[in-house]
Coordinates of all heavy atoms in Angstrom, one line a residue:
W1 N 0.7 4.3 -8.3 CA -0.5 4.9 -7.7 C -1.5 5.1 -8.8 O -2.7 5.0 -8.5 CB -0.1 6.2 -7.0 CG 0.5 7.3 -7.9 CD1 1.8 7.5 -8.3 CD2 -0.3 8.3 -8.6 NE1 1.8 8.5 -9.2 CE2 0.6 9.1 -9.4 CE3 -1.6 8.6 -8.7 CZ2 0.2 10.1 -10.2 CZ3 -2.1 9.6 -9.5 CH2 -1.2 10.4 -10.2
G2 N -1.1 5.4 -10.0 CA -2.1 5.6 -11.1 C -2.9 4.4 -11.3 O -4.1 4.4 -11.6
E3 N -2.2 3.3 -11.4 CA -2.9 2.0 -11.6 C -3.8 1.6 -10.5 O -4.9 1.1 -10.7 CB -1.8 0.9 -11.7 CG -2.4 -0.5 -12.2 CD -2.9 -0.4 -13.6 OE1 -2.5 0.3 -14.4 OE2 -3.9 -1.2 -13.8
A4 N -3.5 2.0 -9.3 CA -4.4 1.7 -8.1 C -5.6 2.6 -8.3 O -6.8 2.1 -8.0 CB -3.7 2.0 -6.8
L5 N -5.5 3.8 -8.7 CA -6.7 4.7 -8.9 C -7.6 4.2 -10.0 O -8.8 4.2 -9.9 CB -6.3 6.1 -9.1 CG -5.6 6.8 -7.9 CD1 -5.2 8.3 -8.3 CD2 -6.4 6.8 -6.7
R6 N -6.9 3.7 -11.1 CA -7.7 3.2 -12.2 C -8.5 1.9 -11.8 O -9.6 1.7 -12.1 CB -6.8 2.8 -13.4 CG -6.4 4.1 -14.2 CD -5.7 3.7 -15.5 NE -4.4 3.2 -15.3 CZ -3.3 4.0 -15.0 NH1 -3.5 5.3 -14.9 NH2 -2.1 3.5 -14.8
F7 N -7.8 1.1 -11.0 CA -8.4 -0.1 -10.5 C -9.7 0.2 -9.6 O -10.7 -0.4 -9.8 CB -7.4 -1.0 -9.7 CG -8.0 -2.3 -9.3 CD1 -8.3 -3.3 -10.3 CD2 -8.1 -2.7 -8.0 CE1 -8.8 -4.5 -9.9 CE2 -8.7 -3.9 -7.6 CZ -9.0 -4.8 -8.6
L8 N -9.5 1.2 -8.7 CA -10.7 1.6 -7.9 C -11.8 2.1 -8.8 O -13.0 1.8 -8.6 CB -10.3 2.7 -7.0 CG -9.7 2.4 -5.6 CD1 -9.5 3.6 -4.8 CD2 -10.5 1.4 -4.9
A9 N -11.5 2.9 -9.8 CA -12.5 3.4 -10.7 C -13.2 2.3 -11.5 O -14.4 2.3 -11.6 CB -11.9 4.4 -11.7
E10 N -12.4 1.3 -11.9 CA -13.0 0.1 -12.6 C -13.9 -0.7 -11.6 O -15.0 -1.1 -12.1 CB -11.9 -0.8 -13.1 CG -11.2 -0.2 -14.3 CD -10.0 -1.1 -14.8 OE1 -10.0 -2.3 -14.3 OE2 -9.2 -0.6 -15.5
M11 N -13.5 -0.8 -10.4 CA -14.4 -1.5 -9.4 C -15.7 -0.8 -9.2 O -16.8 -1.4 -9.2 CB -13.6 -1.7 -8.1 CG -12.5 -2.7 -8.1 SD -11.6 -2.7 -6.5 CE -12.8 -3.4 -5.4
A12 N -15.6 0.6 -9.1 CA -16.8 1.4 -8.9 C -17.7 1.3 -10.1 O -18.9 1.2 -10.0 CB -16.4 2.8 -8.6
S13 N -17.1 1.3 -11.3 CA -17.9 1.2 -12.6 C -18.6 -0.1 -12.7 O -19.7 -0.2 -13.3 CB -17.0 1.4 -13.8 OG -16.5 2.7 -13.8
A14 N -18.0 -1.2 -12.1 CA -18.6 -2.5 -12.2 C -19.5 -2.7 -11.0 O -20.0 -3.8 -10.7 CB -17.5 -3.6 -12.1
H15 N -19.8 -1.6 -10.2 CA -20.7 -1.6 -9.1 C -20.3 -2.6 -8.0 O -21.1 -3.2 -7.3 CB -22.2 -2.0 -9.5 CG -22.7 -1.0 -10.6 ND1 -23.0 0.3 -10.3 CD2 -22.9 -1.2 -11.9 CE1 -23.4 0.9 -11.4 NE2 -23.3 0.0 -12.4
V16 N -19.0 -2.7 -7.8 CA -18.4 -3.4 -6.7 C -18.3 -2.5 -5.6 O -17.8 -1.3 -5.7 CB -17.0 -4.0 -7.1 CG1 -16.3 -4.6 -5.9 CG2 -17.1 -4.9 -8.3
D17 N -18.7 -2.9 -4.4 CA -18.6 -2.1 -3.2 C -17.2 -1.9 -2.8 O -16.5 -2.9 -2.6 CB -19.4 -2.6 -2.0 CG -20.9 -2.5 -2.2 OD1 -21.3 -1.6 -2.9 OD2 -21.6 -3.3 -1.6
L18 N -16.7 -0.7 -2.8 CA -15.3 -0.4 -2.4 C -15.3 -0.5 -0.8 O -16.0 0.2 -0.2 CB -14.8 0.9 -2.9 CG -14.9 1.1 -4.4 CD1 -14.5 2.5 -4.8 CD2 -14.0 0.1 -5.1
D19 N -14.3 -1.3 -0.3 CA -14.2 -1.5 1.1 C -12.9 -0.8 1.6 O -12.1 -0.3 0.9 CB -14.3 -2.9 1.5 CG -13.2 -3.8 0.9 OD1 -12.3 -3.3 0.3 OD2 -13.3 -5.0 1.1
T20 N -12.7 -1.0 2.9 CA -11.6 -0.4 3.6 C -10.3 -0.9 3.0 O -9.3 -0.2 2.8 CB -11.6 -0.7 5.1 OG1 -12.9 -0.3 5.6 CG2 -10.5 -0.1 5.9
I21 N -10.2 -2.2 2.7 CA -9.0 -2.8 2.1 C -8.7 -2.2 0.8 O -7.5 -1.9 0.5 CB -9.2 -4.4 2.1 CG1 -9.3 -4.9 3.5 CG2 -8.0 -5.0 1.3 CD1 -9.7 -6.4 3.6
A22 N -9.7 -2.1 -0.1 CA -9.4 -1.5 -1.4 C -8.9 -0.1 -1.3 O -7.9 0.3 -2.0 CB -10.7 -1.6 -2.3
Y23 N -9.6 0.7 -0.5 CA -9.1 2.1 -0.3 C -7.7 2.1 0.4 O -6.9 3.0 0.0 CB -10.1 2.9 0.6 CG -11.2 3.5 -0.2 CD1 -12.5 2.9 -0.1 CD2 -11.0 4.6 -1.0 CE1 -13.6 3.5 -0.8 CE2 -12.1 5.1 -1.7 CZ -13.4 4.6 -1.6 OH -14.4 5.2 -2.3
C24 N -7.5 1.3 1.3 CA -6.2 1.3 2.0 C -5.0 1.0 1.0 O -4.0 1.6 1.0 CB -6.1 0.2 3.1 SG -4.7 0.3 4.1
A25 N -5.3 0.0 0.1 CA -4.2 -0.3 -0.9 C -4.0 0.9 -1.8 O -2.8 1.2 -2.1 CB -4.7 -1.5 -1.7
A26 N -5.1 1.6 -2.2 CA -4.9 2.7 -3.1 C -4.2 3.9 -2.4 O -3.4 4.6 -2.9 CB -6.3 3.2 -3.6
I27 N -4.6 4.2 -1.1 CA -4.0 5.2 -0.3 C -2.5 4.9 -0.1 O -1.7 5.8 -0.3 CB -4.7 5.4 1.0 CG1 -6.1 6.1 0.7 CG2 -3.9 6.3 1.9 CD1 -7.0 6.1 1.9
S28 N -2.2 3.7 0.1 CA -0.8 3.3 0.3 C 0.0 3.5 -1.0 O 1.1 4.1 -0.9 CB -0.7 1.8 0.7 OG 0.6 1.4 0.8
A29 N -0.6 3.1 -2.1 CA 0.1 3.3 -3.4 C 0.3 4.8 -3.7 O 1.4 5.2 -4.2 CB -0.7 2.7 -4.5
C30 N -0.7 5.6 -3.4 CA -0.6 7.1 -3.6 C 0.6 7.6 -2.7 O 1.4 8.5 -3.1 CB -1.9 7.8 -3.2 SG -3.2 7.5 -4.5
G31 N 0.6 7.2 -1.5 CA 1.7 7.6 -0.5 C 3.1 7.3 -1.0 O 4.0 8.1 -1.0
Q32 N 3.2 6.0 -1.5 CA 4.5 5.6 -2.0 C 4.9 6.3 -3.3 O 6.1 6.5 -3.6 CB 4.4 4.1 -2.3 CG 4.4 3.3 -1.1 CD 4.1 1.8 -1.3 OE1 4.3 1.3 -2.4 NE2 3.7 1.1 -0.3
G33 N 3.9 6.8 -4.0 CA 4.1 7.5 -5.3 C 4.2 9.0 -5.1 O 4.3 9.8 -6.1
G34 N 4.2 9.5 -3.8 CA 4.3 10.9 -3.6 C 3.1 11.7 -3.8 O 3.1 12.9 -3.9
Q35 N 2.0 11.0 -3.9 CA 0.7 11.7 -4.2 C -0.2 11.9 -3.0 O -1.3 11.3 -2.9 CB -0.1 10.9 -5.3 CG 0.7 10.7 -6.6 CD 1.0 12.0 -7.3 OE1 0.2 12.9 -7.4 NE2 2.3 12.2 -7.6
W36 N 0.3 12.6 -2.0 CA -0.4 12.8 -0.8 C -1.8 13.4 -1.0 O -2.7 13.1 -0.3 CB 0.4 13.6 0.2 CG 0.8 15.0 -0.3 CD1 1.9 15.4 -1.0 CD2 -0.1 16.2 -0.2 NE1 1.8 16.7 -1.3 CE2 0.6 17.2 -0.8 CE3 -1.3 16.4 0.4 CZ2 0.1 18.5 -0.9 CZ3 -1.8 17.7 0.4 CH2 -1.1 18.7 -0.3
D37 N -1.9 14.3 -2.0 CA -3.2 14.9 -2.2 C -4.2 13.9 -2.7 O -5.4 14.0 -2.3 CB -3.0 16.1 -3.2 CG -2.3 15.7 -4.5 OD1 -1.5 14.7 -4.5 OD2 -2.4 16.4 -5.5
H38 N -3.8 13.0 -3.5 CA -4.7 11.9 -4.0 C -5.1 11.0 -2.8 O -6.2 10.6 -2.7 CB -4.1 11.1 -5.1 CG -4.1 11.8 -6.4 ND1 -5.2 12.0 -7.2 CD2 -3.0 12.3 -7.1 CE1 -4.8 12.7 -8.3 NE2 -3.5 12.8 -8.2
A39 N -4.1 10.8 -1.9 CA -4.4 10.0 -0.7 C -5.5 10.6 0.1 O -6.4 10.0 0.6 CB -3.2 9.7 0.1
L40 N -5.4 12.0 0.3 CA -6.4 12.7 1.1 C -7.8 12.7 0.4 O -8.8 12.6 1.0 CB -5.9 14.1 1.4 CG -4.7 14.2 2.3 CD1 -4.4 15.7 2.5 CD2 -5.0 13.5 3.6
R41 N -7.7 12.8 -1.0 CA -9.0 12.7 -1.7 C -9.7 11.4 -1.5 O -10.9 11.4 -1.3 CB -8.7 13.0 -3.2 CG -10.0 13.0 -4.0 CD -9.8 13.3 -5.5 NE -8.9 12.3 -6.1 CZ -9.2 11.1 -6.5 NH1 -10.5 10.7 -6.3 NH2 -8.4 10.3 -7.1
L42 N -8.9 10.3 -1.5 CA -9.5 9.0 -1.3 C -10.1 8.9 0.1 O -11.1 8.3 0.4 CB -8.5 7.9 -1.5 CG -8.1 7.7 -3.0 CD1 -6.9 6.7 -3.1 CD2 -9.2 7.2 -3.8
L43 N -9.4 9.5 1.1 CA -9.9 9.5 2.5 C -11.2 10.2 2.6 O -12.1 9.7 3.2 CB -8.8 10.1 3.4 CG -8.9 9.8 4.9 CD1 -8.6 8.4 5.1 CD2 -7.9 10.7 5.6
S44 N -11.3 11.3 1.9 CA -12.5 12.1 1.8 C -13.7 11.3 1.1 O -14.8 11.3 1.6 CB -12.3 13.4 1.1 OG -13.5 14.1 1.0
E45 N -13.3 10.6 0.1 CA -14.3 9.7 -0.6 C -14.8 8.6 0.3 O -16.0 8.3 0.3 CB -13.7 9.0 -1.8 CG -13.6 9.8 -3.1 CD -13.0 9.1 -4.2 OE1 -13.1 7.8 -4.3 OE2 -12.4 9.7 -5.1
M46 N -13.9 8.1 1.1 CA -14.3 7.0 2.1 C -15.4 7.6 3.0 O -16.4 6.9 3.3 CB -13.1 6.5 2.8 CG -12.2 5.6 2.1 SD -10.8 5.1 3.1 CE -11.7 3.8 4.1
A47 N -15.1 8.7 3.6 CA -16.0 9.4 4.5 C -17.4 9.6 3.9 O -18.4 9.3 4.5 CB -15.4 10.6 5.1
S48 N -17.3 10.1 2.6 CA -18.6 10.4 1.9 C -19.4 9.1 1.6 O -20.6 9.2 1.7 CB -18.3 11.1 0.6 OG -17.7 12.4 0.9
A49 N -18.7 8.1 1.4 CA -19.3 6.8 1.1 C -19.6 5.9 2.3 O -20.1 4.8 2.2 CB -18.5 6.0 0.1
H50 N -19.3 6.5 3.5 CA -19.5 5.8 4.8 C -18.8 4.5 4.8 O -19.3 3.5 5.4 CB -21.0 5.6 5.0 CG -21.8 6.9 5.0 ND1 -21.6 7.9 6.0 CD2 -22.6 7.4 4.1 CE1 -22.4 8.9 5.7 NE2 -23.0 8.7 4.5
V51 N -17.6 4.4 4.3 CA -16.7 3.3 4.4 C -15.9 3.4 5.7 O -15.5 4.5 6.0 CB -15.7 3.2 3.2 CG1 -14.8 2.0 3.3 CG2 -16.5 3.1 1.9
E52 N -15.8 2.3 6.4 CA -15.2 2.3 7.7 C -13.7 2.8 7.5 O -13.0 2.3 6.7 CB -15.2 0.9 8.3 CG -14.5 0.9 9.7 CD -14.5 -0.5 10.3 OE1 -15.1 -1.4 9.7 OE2 -13.9 -0.7 11.3
M53 N -13.3 3.7 8.3 CA -12.0 4.3 8.3 C -11.3 3.9 9.6 O -11.7 4.3 10.7 CB -12.0 5.8 8.2 CG -12.6 6.2 6.9 SD -13.2 7.9 6.7 CE -11.8 8.8 7.1
D54 N -10.3 3.0 9.5 CA -9.6 2.5 10.7 C -8.3 3.1 10.9 O -7.9 4.0 10.1 CB -9.5 0.9 10.6 CG -8.7 0.4 9.4 OD1 -8.0 1.2 8.8 OD2 -8.8 -0.8 9.1
T55 N -7.6 2.7 11.9 CA -6.3 3.3 12.2 C -5.3 3.1 11.1 O -4.5 4.0 10.8 CB -5.7 2.6 13.5 OG1 -6.7 2.8 14.6 CG2 -4.4 3.2 13.9
I56 N -5.3 2.0 10.4 CA -4.4 1.7 9.3 C -4.6 2.7 8.2 O -3.6 3.2 7.6 CB -4.5 0.2 8.9 CG1 -4.1 -0.7 10.0 CG2 -3.6 0.0 7.6 CD1 -4.5 -2.2 9.7
I57 N -5.8 3.0 7.9 CA -6.1 3.9 6.8 C -5.5 5.3 7.2 O -4.8 5.9 6.3 CB -7.6 4.1 6.6 CG1 -8.3 2.9 6.0 CG2 -8.0 5.4 5.8 CD1 -7.9 2.7 4.5
Y58 N -5.7 5.7 8.4 CA -5.2 7.0 8.8 C -3.6 7.0 8.8 O -3.0 7.9 8.4 CB -5.7 7.4 10.2 CG -7.0 8.0 10.2 CD1 -8.2 7.3 10.6 CD2 -7.2 9.3 9.7 CE1 -9.4 7.9 10.5 CE2 -8.5 9.9 9.7 CZ -9.6 9.1 10.1 OH -10.8 9.7 10.0
E59 N -3.0 5.9 9.2 CA -1.6 5.8 9.2 C -1.0 5.9 7.8 O 0.0 6.5 7.6 CB -1.1 4.5 9.9 CG -1.4 4.4 11.4 CD -0.6 5.5 12.2 OE1 0.5 5.8 11.8 OE2 -1.2 6.0 13.1
E60 N -1.7 5.3 6.9 CA -1.2 5.4 5.5 C -1.3 6.9 5.0 O -0.4 7.4 4.4 CB -2.0 4.5 4.6 CG -1.8 3.0 4.8 CD -0.4 2.6 4.4 OE1 0.3 3.3 3.6 OE2 0.0 1.5 4.9
A61 N -2.4 7.5 5.3 CA -2.6 8.9 4.8 C -1.6 9.8 5.6 O -1.0 10.7 4.9 CB -4.0 9.4 5.0
I62 N -1.4 9.6 6.8 CA -0.5 10.4 7.6 C 0.9 10.2 7.1 O 1.7 11.2 7.0 CB -0.6 10.0 9.1 CG1 -1.9 10.6 9.7 CG2 0.6 10.6 9.9 CD1 -2.3 10.0 11.1
G63 N 1.3 9.0 6.8 CA 2.6 8.7 6.3 C 2.9 9.4 5.0 O 4.0 9.9 4.7
A64 N 1.9 9.4 4.1 CA 2.0 10.0 2.8 C 2.3 11.5 3.0 O 3.1 12.1 2.4 CB 0.8 9.8 2.0
C65 N 1.5 12.2 3.9 CA 1.6 13.6 4.1 C 3.0 13.9 4.8 O 3.6 14.9 4.4 CB 0.5 14.1 4.9 SG -1.1 14.1 4.0
D66 N 3.3 13.1 5.7 CA 4.6 13.3 6.5 C 5.8 13.2 5.6 O 6.7 14.0 5.6 CB 4.7 12.4 7.7 CG 5.9 12.6 8.5 OD1 6.2 13.8 8.8 OD2 6.5 11.6 8.9
K67 N 5.8 12.2 4.8 CA 6.9 11.9 3.9 C 7.2 13.0 2.9 O 8.3 13.2 2.5 CB 6.6 10.6 3.1 CG 7.8 10.1 2.3 CD 7.4 8.7 1.7 CE 8.5 8.2 0.8 NZ 8.1 6.9 0.2
F68 N 6.1 13.7 2.5 CA 6.2 14.7 1.5 C 6.0 16.1 2.0 O 5.5 17.0 1.3 CB 5.3 14.4 0.3 CG 5.8 13.1 -0.4 CD1 5.2 11.9 -0.1 CD2 6.9 13.2 -1.2 CE1 5.7 10.7 -0.7 CE2 7.4 12.0 -1.8 CZ 6.8 10.8 -1.5
G69 N 6.4 16.3 3.3 CA 6.4 17.7 3.9 C 5.1 18.4 4.0 O 5.0 19.6 3.6
Q70 N 4.1 17.8 4.6 CA 2.8 18.4 4.8 C 2.4 18.3 6.3 O 1.5 17.7 6.7 CB 1.7 17.7 3.9 CG 2.0 17.7 2.4 CD 1.9 19.1 1.9 OE1 1.1 19.9 2.3 NE2 2.9 19.5 1.1
P71 N 3.2 19.1 7.1 CA 2.9 18.9 8.6 C 1.5 19.4 9.0 O 1.0 18.8 9.9 CB 4.0 19.8 9.2 CG 4.4 20.8 8.1 CD 4.2 20.0 6.8
A72 N 1.0 20.4 8.4 CA -0.4 20.8 8.7 C -1.4 19.7 8.4 O -2.3 19.5 9.2 CB -0.7 22.1 8.0
R73 N -1.2 19.0 7.3 CA -2.1 17.9 7.0 C -1.9 16.8 8.0 O -2.9 16.1 8.4 CB -1.8 17.4 5.6 CG -1.8 18.5 4.5 CD -3.2 18.8 4.1 NE -3.1 19.7 2.9 CZ -4.2 20.3 2.5 NH1 -5.3 20.2 3.0 NH2 -4.0 21.1 1.5
V74 N -0.7 16.5 8.4 CA -0.4 15.4 9.4 C -1.2 15.8 10.7 O -1.9 14.9 11.2 CB 1.1 15.3 9.6 CG1 1.3 14.4 10.8 CG2 1.8 14.7 8.4
L75 N -1.1 17.0 11.1 CA -1.7 17.4 12.4 C -3.2 17.2 12.2 O -3.9 16.7 13.1 CB -1.3 18.8 12.7 CG -1.9 19.3 14.0 CD1 -1.5 18.4 15.2 CD2 -1.5 20.8 14.3
G76 N -3.8 17.7 11.1 CA -5.2 17.5 10.9 C -5.7 16.1 10.9 O -6.7 15.8 11.5
L77 N -4.9 15.2 10.3 CA -5.3 13.8 10.3 C -5.1 13.2 11.7 O -5.9 12.3 12.0 CB -4.4 13.1 9.3 CG -4.7 13.4 7.8 CD1 -3.6 12.8 6.9 CD2 -6.1 12.8 7.4
L78 N -4.1 13.6 12.4 CA -4.0 13.1 13.8 C -5.2 13.4 14.6 O -5.7 12.6 15.4 CB -2.7 13.6 14.4 CG -1.4 13.0 13.9 CD1 -0.2 13.7 14.4 CD2 -1.3 11.5 14.2
V79 N -5.6 14.7 14.5 CA -6.8 15.1 15.3 C -8.0 14.3 14.8 O -8.8 13.9 15.7 CB -7.0 16.6 15.1 CG1 -8.3 17.1 15.7 CG2 -5.9 17.4 15.8
E80 N -8.2 14.2 13.5 CA -9.4 13.5 13.0 C -9.3 12.0 13.4 O -10.4 11.5 13.9 CB -9.3 13.5 11.5 CG -10.6 12.9 10.8 CD -10.5 13.1 9.3 OE1 -10.0 14.1 8.8 OE2 -11.0 12.2 8.6
R81 N -8.2 11.4 13.4 CA -8.1 10.0 13.8 C -8.4 9.9 15.3 O -9.1 8.9 15.7 CB -6.7 9.5 13.5 CG -6.5 8.0 13.9 CD -5.1 7.5 13.8 NE -4.3 8.1 14.8 CZ -3.0 7.9 14.9 NH1 -2.4 7.1 14.1 NH2 -2.3 8.6 15.8
A82 N -7.9 10.8 16.1 CA -8.2 10.7 17.5 C -9.7 10.9 17.8 O -10.2 10.2 18.7 CB -7.4 11.8 18.3
W83 N -10.3 11.7 17.0 CA -11.8 11.9 17.2 C -12.5 10.6 16.9 O -13.4 10.2 17.6 CB -12.3 13.1 16.3 CG -13.7 13.3 16.5 CD1 -14.3 14.1 17.5 CD2 -14.8 12.8 15.7 NE1 -15.7 14.1 17.3 CE2 -16.0 13.3 16.3 CE3 -14.8 12.0 14.6 CZ2 -17.2 13.0 15.7 CZ3 -16.1 11.7 14.1 CH2 -17.3 12.2 14.6
H84 N -12.1 10.0 15.8 CA -12.8 8.7 15.4 C -12.5 7.6 16.4 O -13.4 6.9 16.7 CB -12.3 8.3 14.0 CG -13.0 8.9 12.9 ND1 -14.2 8.6 12.4 CD2 -12.6 10.0 12.1 CE1 -14.6 9.4 11.4 NE2 -13.6 10.2 11.2
L85 N -11.3 7.5 16.9 CA -11.0 6.5 17.9 C -11.7 6.8 19.2 O -12.3 5.8 19.8 CB -9.5 6.4 18.1 CG -8.7 5.9 17.0 CD1 -7.2 5.9 17.3 CD2 -9.1 4.5 16.6
D86 N -11.8 8.0 19.6 CA -12.5 8.4 20.8 C -14.0 8.0 20.7 O -14.6 7.5 21.6 CB -12.3 9.8 21.1 CG -13.0 10.2 22.5 OD1 -12.7 9.5 23.5 OD2 -13.8 11.2 22.5
K87 N -14.6 8.3 19.5 CA -16.0 8.0 19.2 C -16.2 6.5 19.3 O -17.1 6.0 19.9 CB -16.4 8.6 17.9 CG -17.8 8.3 17.5 CD -18.2 8.8 16.1 CE -17.5 8.0 15.1 NZ -17.9 8.2 13.7
D88 N -15.3 5.7 18.7 CA -15.4 4.3 18.7 C -15.3 3.7 20.1 O -16.0 2.8 20.5 CB -14.4 3.6 17.8 CG -14.6 3.9 16.3 OD1 -15.7 4.3 16.0 OD2 -13.7 3.8 15.5
L89 N -14.4 4.3 20.9 CA -14.2 3.8 22.3 C -15.4 4.1 23.1 O -15.8 3.4 24.0 CB -12.9 4.4 22.9 CG -11.6 3.9 22.3 CD1 -10.5 4.7 22.9 CD2 -11.4 2.5 22.6
H90 N -16.0 5.3 22.9 CA -17.2 5.7 23.6 C -18.4 4.7 23.3 O -19.1 4.3 24.2 CB -17.6 7.1 23.3 CG -18.9 7.5 24.0 ND1 -19.0 7.7 25.3 CD2 -20.1 7.7 23.5 CE1 -20.2 8.1 25.6 NE2 -20.9 8.1 24.5
I91 N -18.5 4.3 22.0 CA -19.6 3.4 21.7 C -19.3 2.0 22.3 O -20.2 1.4 22.9 CB -19.6 3.3 20.1 CG1 -20.2 4.6 19.5 CG2 -20.5 2.1 19.7 CD1 -20.0 4.6 18.0
I92 N -18.1 1.6 22.3 CA -17.8 0.3 22.9 C -18.0 0.3 24.4 O -18.5 -0.6 25.0 CB -16.3 -0.1 22.6 CG1 -16.1 -0.4 21.1 CG2 -15.8 -1.3 23.5 CD1 -14.7 -0.5 20.7
S93 N -17.7 1.4 25.1 CA -17.8 1.5 26.5 C -19.3 1.5 27.0 O -19.6 1.3 28.1 CB -17.0 2.7 27.1 OG -17.7 3.9 26.7
T94 N -20.2 1.8 26.1 CA -21.6 1.9 26.5 C -22.2 0.5 26.5 O -23.4 0.4 27.0 CB -22.4 2.8 25.5 OG1 -22.3 2.3 24.2 CG2 -21.9 4.2 25.5
F95 N -21.6 -0.5 26.0 CA -22.1 -1.9 26.1 C -21.9 -2.5 27.4 O -21.2 -2.6 28.1 CB -21.5 -2.8 25.0 CG -22.0 -2.4 23.6 CD1 -21.3 -1.7 22.7 CD2 -23.3 -2.8 23.3 CE1 -21.7 -1.4 21.5 CE2 -23.8 -2.5 22.0 CZ -23.0 -1.8 21.1

């Protein structure tokens, strides 16, 4: 997970746009390394940078929190994911 965070930082320093895939890989690595708090920080960074947050991103963050005993965080992420999906479905249905 540390290497994934360093890689993201290097990409940002090189002015490379961080996308959903880059964040997903880092969030996944954090989850596998037991660093649920870092996974949530990355999720927050994505929102601040207006990077698209898809279902897979949420599943990785939810998995990290669930695996390491953070039920309140899991519930919060489930609600947030549902809100994002509902918003996306509403936008699609207006076409």
Side-chain angles (χ1 to χ4, degrees):
W1 65 270
E3 188 64 31
L5 294 181
R6 280 189 291 282
F7 186 65
L8 274 184
E10 288 176 16
M11 289 176 66
S13 293
H15 304 290
V16 174
D17 287 333
L18 300 178
D19 62 7
T20 305
I21 295 169
Y23 275 107
C24 189
I27 289 171
S28 178
C30 288
Q32 291 172 17
Q35 302 298 313
W36 60 268
D37 51 339
H38 287 289
L40 293 181
R41 183 179 57 79
L42 291 172
L43 201 63
S44 179
E45 279 182 25
M46 288 181 72
S48 296
H50 304 289
V51 176
E52 182 180 353
M53 296 163 57
D54 61 14
T55 302
I56 296 169
I57 289 288
Y58 279 104
E59 290 299 322
E60 290 293 339
I62 288 167
C65 291
D66 185 44
K67 184 175 180 181
F68 295 97
Q70 300 296 317
R73 306 278 187 194
V74 169
L75 182 57
L77 289 169
L78 287 170
V79 169
E80 185 178 327
R81 182 185 68 180
W83 182 84
H84 278 282
L85 290 177
D86 184 50
K87 180 181 71 168
D88 291 344
L89 290 175
H90 177 69
I91 291 169
I92 291 169
S93 68
T94 60
F95 285 104

